[in-house]
């Protein structure tokens, strides 16, 4: 594997940037804020003493949750080289991130769905034709953010994850002042081209951000016994 | 003279034996001054109701006139009596009018069908195949539909051939949909097919000049079985299907990744031997009928100069190799062409695509179609990964189809023009 300067358009840099992106979404994602990778500007890689590999990146992300704004970020991504898979470690800084705070949209969304009458339930987001209703978009964004916890945890230098679809979402009753959502999400690994199913339970509030409480891998084929990252 | 004609006409009408129930158009070649005199008299005769299609009589040109059915017998007898030779130009005017009208209606319907085809939607196989027929019918002198074989489940595999003639002219190959779930690739190819036809018809550069020297072969659905399967339901199991639909050694896991089955470093790293994997390469190179059909067609044609394949997603414009990180011999030129094509693409909507070899931009892949084409001497081989970069992924909203097709078309045009110039 290349060491030193990396070509920003080649996959090693892009995969590392995608990992940094997942980290960014877990920390700052919300129903109205989800980041996507725009492009990598510069990247370097080096082996580190503990047997891992560290990438240093300069890249831009787009918030497609609502604002469409572009942020410039820098990150260090460390992929440990351990016998059993362990999650990468990310240090990240994006310009203008501190200024982002809870928006009126988020408050309104929260108030609407924290009410006991709210019992959201839906499937196939987007549908086969790429359609998502306006009502469902925040739930789609939340799924992407929650899925980022899993994608971050499962990532290695040999994976490149996106969320392909939300198979279903159902709101859970709770006494907490949190929106409680059960999701079945489909991840797409661009390297193996596999579709990987995960069930997860997540919570969100404007103050608390997104948290993931439970995750459960779903086997695709009857005979499969373990998730791809464990290979 | 007139009295003579009138009397004669009456006489002839009484004795006429032939019966006509259709109007005819007769032609007379005026061979002498005498003819001209007779014709002038005919013209003056209102009773016969002759309708002259040529005006002004001379010995230089033939004279055509329509004769109502009621006068046909009499007029023919009159001409024979006067030793005037005539030929029947149209022996059934009504039939011709009916045929013409039917053609007009049919043309209007075809025009309506192509106009009413929804390019901004994801259409199923049946609709796409019917669109192909409509396109061929609207442009019969330019486009033909070639069947290159059948799929595993016995569906026809069609290629649209755009040609202005010649005998196996140097050709360009474009395919889409080798992976079933990449719906925007089929949808873009449909739009592009229509666009090539329209640009040719409206004489919009560079299409007419490209087609004056080269043929274009466009395969909109390279994996029909997979495409049909992806439409069965909205369940991810169907919609997100990638491979073909053949039976494999594992009864639980059908399908081969058709873009790992080509005879190009088949069985190297970058493909799987497990039928249950999405990148399962199949039991042997070209074992899959869909791949064999395309490979055989291109090989036996023998004169392809460019091979381009459309996929989604990731926004990448790539060239060989997929199987190895070593630079292909033509790498500098291919990189240049791809870079310029990318600029053209970007100019439509500022969509950012990245350029590079398949190995370096995506990953190592063996048995890929682009490597196969390149190794067969088809130098200008490119692979596209269309929109987007993961936000919607395979489930790209239909309202982005036309924009995606347009920007892709700009890149394709650049490459085709480049290839044509050489």
């Amino acid at each position: 594997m290349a060491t030193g300067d990396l070509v920003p358009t080649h996959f090693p840099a892009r995969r590392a940037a995608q990992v940094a992106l997942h980290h960014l979404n877990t920390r700052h994602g919300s129903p109205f804020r989800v980041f996507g990778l725009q492009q990598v500007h510069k990247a370097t890689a080096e082996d580190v003493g503990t047997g891992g590999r560290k990438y240093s990146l300069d890249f831009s992300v787009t918030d497609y949750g609502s604002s469409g704004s572009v942020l410039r970020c820098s990150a260090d991504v460390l992929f440990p080289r351990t016998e059993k898979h362990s999650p990468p470690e990310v240090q990240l800084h994006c310009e203008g991130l501190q200024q982002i705070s809870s928006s009126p949209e988020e408050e309104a969304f929260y108030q609407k769905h924290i009410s006991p009458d709210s019992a959201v339930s839906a499937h196939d987001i987007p549908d086969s034709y790429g359609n998502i209703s306006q009502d469902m978009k925040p739930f789609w964004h939340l799924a992407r953010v929650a899925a980022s916890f899993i994608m971050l945890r499962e990532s290695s230098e040999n994976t490149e994850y996106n969320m392909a679809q939300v198979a279903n979402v159902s709101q859970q009753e709770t006494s907490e002042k949190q929106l409680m959502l059960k999701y079945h999400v489909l991840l797409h690994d661009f390297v193996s081209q596999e579709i990987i199913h995960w069930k997860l339970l997540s919570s969100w509030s404007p103050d608390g951000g997104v948290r993931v409480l439970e995750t459960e891998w779903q086997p695709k084929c009857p005979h499969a016994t373990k998730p791809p990252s464990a290979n | 003279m007139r009295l003579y004609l009138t009397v004669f006409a009456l006489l002839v009408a009484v004795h006429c034996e032939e019966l006509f129930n259709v109007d005819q158009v007769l032609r007379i070649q005026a061979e002498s001054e005498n003819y001209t005199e007779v014709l002038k008299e005919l013209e003056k005769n209102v009773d016969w109701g002759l309708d002259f299609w040529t005006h002004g009589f001379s010995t230089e040109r033939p004279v055509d006139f329509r004769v109502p059915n009621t006068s046909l017998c009499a007029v023919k007898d009159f001409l024979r009596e006067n030793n005037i030779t005539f030929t029947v130009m149209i022996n059934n005017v009504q039939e011709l009018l009916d045929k013409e009208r039917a053609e007009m209606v049919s043309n209007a319907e075809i025009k309506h069908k192509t106009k009413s085809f929804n390019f901004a939607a994801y259409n199923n196989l049946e609709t796409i195949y019917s669109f192909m027929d409509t396109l061929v019918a609207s442009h019969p002198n330019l486009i033909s539909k070639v069947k290159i074989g059948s799929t595993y489940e016995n569906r026809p595999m069609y290629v649209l051939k755009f040609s202005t003639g010649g005998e196996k002219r140097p050709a360009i190959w474009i395919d889409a949909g080798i992976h079933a779930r990449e719906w925007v690739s089929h949808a873009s190819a449909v739009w592009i097919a229509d666009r090539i036809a329209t640009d040719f018809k409206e004489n919009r550069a560079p299409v007419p000049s490209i087609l004056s020297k080269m043929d274009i072969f466009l395969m909109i659905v390279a994996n029909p079985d997979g495409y049909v399967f992806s439409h069965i339901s909205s369940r991810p199991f169907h919609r997100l299907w990638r491979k073909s639909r053949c039976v494999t050694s594992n009864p639980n896991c059908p399908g081969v990744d058709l873009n790992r089955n080509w005879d190009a470093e088949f069985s190297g790293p970058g493909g799987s031997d497990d039928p249950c994997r999405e990148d399962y390469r199949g039991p042997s190179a070209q074992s899959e009928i869909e791949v064999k059909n395309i490979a055989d067609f291109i090989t036996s044609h023998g004169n392809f100069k460019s091979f381009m394949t459309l996929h989604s997603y990731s926004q990448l414009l790539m060239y060989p190799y997929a199987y190895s990180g070593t630079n292909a011999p033509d790498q500098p030129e291919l990189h240049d062409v791809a870079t310029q094509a990318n600029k053209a693409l970007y100019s439509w909507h500022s969509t950012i695509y990245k350029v590079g070899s398949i190995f370096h931009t995506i990953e190592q892949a063996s048995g890929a179609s682009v490597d196969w084409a390149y190794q067969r001497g088809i130098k200008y081989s490119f692979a596209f990964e269309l929109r987007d970069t993961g936000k919607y992924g395979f489930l790209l909203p239909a309202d982005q189809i036309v924009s995606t097709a347009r920007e892709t078309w700009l890149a394709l045009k650049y490459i085709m023009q480049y290839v044509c110039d050489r």
Side-chain angles (χ1 to χ4, degrees), chain B residues 272-412:
Chain B
S272 171
D273 290 322
D274 178 355
C276 296
R277 306 284 297 182
E278 294 280 19
D279 59 351
Y280 172 54
R281 59 169 62 101
S284 62
Q286 263 185 226
S287 57
E288 302 316 296
I289 187 70
E290 292 87 352
V291 170
K292 183 177 190 312
N293 288 337
I294 299 173
D296 284 352
F297 179 77
I298 292 177
T299 306
S300 67
H301 181 283
N303 204 15
F304 276 92
K305 302 298 177 197
S306 175
F307 178 96
M308 295 186 277
T309 178
L310 305 183
H311 295 247
S312 77
Y313 59 92
S314 275
Q315 291 173 202
L316 302 168
L317 211 177
M318 304 169 290
Y319 44 80
Y321 294 119
Y323 82 92
S324 153
T326 346
N327 282 347
D330 300 292
Q331 199 266 359
E333 185 188 1
L334 293 178
H335 187 85
D336 246 4
V337 175
T339 304
Q340 294 309 314
N342 192 22
K343 282 191 187 147
L345 186 156
Y346 181 85
S347 72
W348 173 249
H349 194 72
S350 307
T351 309
I352 298 175
Y353 271 57
K354 299 299 179 192
V355 171
S357 77
I358 297 171
F359 180 95
H360 287 296
T361 28
I362 303 191
E363 52 154 351
Q364 184 175 32
S366 58
S369 68
V370 171
D371 283 355
W372 175 86
Y374 185 74
Q375 288 176 341
R376 292 287 169 303
I378 304 174
K379 176 156 66 148
Y380 300 104
S381 291
F382 297 95
F384 287 70
E385 291 278 3
L386 305 181
R387 293 193 197 173
D388 60 16
T389 53
K391 176 179 173 184
Y392 288 97
F394 299 120
L395 308 177
L396 193 74
D399 64 15
Q400 287 197 44
I401 291 172
V402 175
S403 193
T404 304
R406 278 188 192 276
E407 66 197 8
T408 310
W409 171 236
L410 292 174
L412 289 175

Side-chain angles (χ1 to χ4, degrees), chain A residues 126-139:
Chain A
D127 68 13
S128 290
Y129 307 94
N131 299 317
I132 309 178
S133 70
Q134 276 306 114
D135 286 346
M136 280 300 127
K137 280 211 169 137
F139 292 98

Side-chain angles (χ1 to χ4, degrees), chain A residues 21-56:
Chain A
L21 180 78
H22 296 320
H23 175 94
L24 174 63
N25 279 323
T26 62
R27 295 291 169 91
H28 296 276
S30 85
F32 295 90
R33 188 164 61 244
V34 184
F35 296 98
L37 182 65
Q38 198 209 45
Q39 54 181 326
V40 180
H41 304 292
K42 275 176 64 178
T44 60
E46 57 175 352
D47 290 330
V48 294
T50 49
R53 191 168 180 80
K54 189 175 89 168
Y55 291 76
S56 296

Side-chain angles (χ1 to χ4, degrees), chain A:
Chain A
M1 275 222 164
T3 299
D5 283 335
L6 302 178
V7 178
T9 52
H10 289 183
F11 71 75
R14 197 181 58 239
R15 287 181 197 174
Q18 193 76 345
V19 170
L21 180 78
H22 296 320
H23 175 94
L24 174 63
N25 279 323
T26 62
R27 295 291 169 91
H28 296 276
S30 85
F32 295 90
R33 188 164 61 244
V34 184
F35 296 98
L37 182 65
Q38 198 209 45
Q39 54 181 326
V40 180
H41 304 292
K42 275 176 64 178
T44 60
E46 57 175 352
D47 290 330
V48 294
T50 49
R53 191 168 180 80
K54 189 175 89 168
Y55 291 76
S56 296
L57 307 158
D58 169 14
F59 59 104
S60 293
V61 299
T62 324
D63 172 16
Y64 64 79
S66 53
S67 71
S69 46
V70 177
L71 301 183
R72 190 70 175 246
C73 302
S74 62
D76 283 341
V77 177
L78 172 65
F79 291 104
R81 296 256 171 91
T82 51
E83 234 184 77
K84 214 178 90 164
H85 173 82
S86 30
E89 293 160 29
V90 182
Q91 308 252 17
L92 171 78
H93 170 78
C94 294
E95 289 167 6
L97 207 45
Q98 276 69 20
Q99 284 98 320
I100 298 174
S101 59
S102 174
S103 69
E105 290 169 304
E106 286 177 13
E107 279 300 328
F109 175 76
Y110 178 70
Q111 290 306 326
K112 178 176 178 189
H113 291 289
I114 204 69
S115 110
D117 301 330
S118 174
V120 173
S121 156
H123 61 96
D124 299 334
I125 307 168
D127 68 13
S128 290
Y129 307 94
N131 299 317
I132 309 178
S133 70
Q134 276 306 114
D135 286 346
M136 280 300 127
K137 280 211 169 137
F139 292 98
W140 179 56
H141 297 149
L142 271 176
R144 176 64 200 240
V145 175
S148 297
F149 284 83
I150 300 173
M151 294 192 283
L152 175 62
R153 191 181 70 200
E154 300 295 314
S155 286
S156 72
E157 287 165 282
N158 301 313
T159 61
E160 198 170 333
Y161 286 113
N162 276 304
M163 185 180 80
Q165 193 182 33
V166 176
N168 59 60
V169 54
S170 64
Q171 186 171 5
Q172 307 295 296
E173 268 186 46
T174 174
S175 52
E176 318 257 331
K177 289 214 181 81
Q178 304 279 319
L179 207 56
M180 211 62 123
L181 296 163
K182 216 175 199 177
Y183 280 107
H184 179 147
V185 296
L186 304 167
L187 306 182
H188 173 233
D189 172 25
F190 197 68
V191 179
S192 66
Q193 289 294 334
E194 295 295 328
I195 303 291
I196 304 140
H197 297 238
W198 285 87
K199 281 199 167 137
L200 61 94
L201 179 65
S202 74
S203 70
W204 174 76
S205 67
D207 299 328
V210 177
R211 286 181 304 143
V212 171
L213 310 166
E214 289 163 27
T215 65
E216 188 190 333
W217 172 70
Q218 307 292 301
K220 183 179 78 168
C221 304
H223 77 293
T225 52
K226 51 192 165 119
S229 67
N231 290 340

